Amino acid sequence: MPPARKRARAYDPVKTRAAVLAQFAQVRDGVRGLDEERLARPSGLGDWSVRELAAHVTTALENVSRGLDLPEPAGRVVALLDWPFATAGRADDIAAGTRRLAADHPDLDALYARVGERFAERLAAAPDGRPLATLHRTAGSTAEDGAPNGAMTLADYLVTRTVELVVHTDDLNRAAGTDIPFDRQALATCTRLLADALAAKAPGASTEVRIPPYAVVQCVEGPRHTRGTPPNVVETDPLTWIRLATGRTDWRTALDEARVAASGERADLGPLLPLMG
């Protein structure tokens, strides 16, 4: 069942564009420094190697370029807060396309250069309101692998690219032992979109979820808090929140490791997570 619709917060398109470009550049620099030993390590995502994960990151931008190359779609519009819940069910297609992409492009830096240049060129000529197909398949996939899931404005779709880039930056850092930095705007945007998705999935005002310094949302049905200290509070840091929302870690583990503080009878978010498969 789709989550209850909730109006998305506004994101500055200029800042979002800059954040996507900055985070992609950070990842490219980090991947450039990986030797063959680290590229061959398991990524922690299914049976992908770090090399395959690094290749997959380029599809965050390439799918935008490919969408802009297509005619404006006439399909249903995917709202920004619907996107996190529309990404499930593509794992097999994405995995197959990613393996082909990595095999076809052994020179990862050349792949990053080509994808980045094409993206910057397409982006410069495209208005924020331009609709484009949301392609949840990799650059190595074929038409038979599945159709686009709908249409989004370019501005909204670029917000989702911060999620892809930030999540996979964290994946690379953990799997390859890198220390790729996070662009502050990209990390903030990713955190806020996933926090708002939680509020859309579990509408209400009985629980306050705090992810300083980027987001505070209220969610979960129950008595509405009006003043003073909320009776149900969850607090965590941005990366822990992103890992919880995307299934990289589970609620109980985060609690046991004191990476989440939760108080109140409605502060158990475990049944609501992850938000993205």
Side-chain angles (χ1 to χ4, degrees), residues 10 28 61 91 119 139 147 150 167 170 221 231 235 240 247 257 266:
R28 182 185 177 189
L61 270 60
F119 175 77
V167 169
D170 185 42
E221 290 183 351
E235 185 164 339
T240 297
E257 295 178 353
R266 290 183 172 85

Side-chain angles (χ1 to χ4, degrees), residues 20-183:
V20 169
L21 287 165
Q23 192 59 48
F24 187 76
Q26 303 273 36
V27 177
R28 182 185 177 189
D29 286 346
V31 169
R32 187 184 290 126
L34 293 176
D35 57 23
E36 289 301 320
E37 184 275 326
R38 288 198 286 178
L39 286 170
R41 291 180 187 177
S43 70
L45 303 178
D47 61 357
W48 285 1
S49 65
V50 168
R51 175 183 291 280
E52 288 165 335
L53 170 58
H56 174 74
V57 173
T58 66
T59 66
L61 270 60
E62 183 63 11
N63 281 348
V64 178
S65 299
R66 293 172 66 208
L68 290 172
D69 284 343
L70 296 172
E72 292 191 12
R76 70 182 182 89
V77 174
V78 178
L80 182 54
L81 286 181
D82 287 339
W83 176 82
F85 310 102
T87 59
R90 304 292 303 151
D92 290 344
D93 293 339
I94 290 171
T98 293
R99 284 190 288 270
R100 290 195 295 270
L101 182 63
D104 292 343
H105 297 277
D107 186 340
L108 288 173
D109 193 55
L111 173 63
Y112 272 74
R114 179 182 64 78
V115 169
E117 289 168 7
R118 192 164 110 85
F119 175 77
E121 179 183 296
R122 298 297 189 278
L123 198 61
D128 295 321
R130 201 276 200 195
L132 71 162
T134 59
L135 303 173
H136 297 312
R137 57 180 186 265
T138 69
S141 300
T142 65
E144 291 72 24
D145 286 335
N149 288 347
M152 298 181 79
T153 65
L154 174 61
D156 279 354
Y157 197 43
L158 289 175
V159 171
T160 74
R161 302 304 82 196
T162 69
V163 177
E164 294 283 342
L165 289 169
V166 167
V167 169
H168 289 318
T169 297
D170 185 42
D171 291 334
L172 283 167
N173 283 341
R174 290 192 291 157
T178 52
D179 190 22
I180 301 169
F182 294 92
D183 174 78

Side-chain angles (χ1 to χ4, degrees), residues 179-218:
D179 190 22
I180 301 169
F182 294 92
D183 174 78
R184 181 178 174 85
Q185 186 66 33
L187 183 60
T189 301
C190 173
T191 302
R192 289 166 182 157
L193 178 57
L194 293 176
D196 289 346
L198 172 68
K201 183 175 183 178
S206 72
T207 302
E208 186 166 284
V209 179
R210 302 169 179 171
I211 313 161
Y214 299 131
V216 178
V217 296
Q218 293 187 339

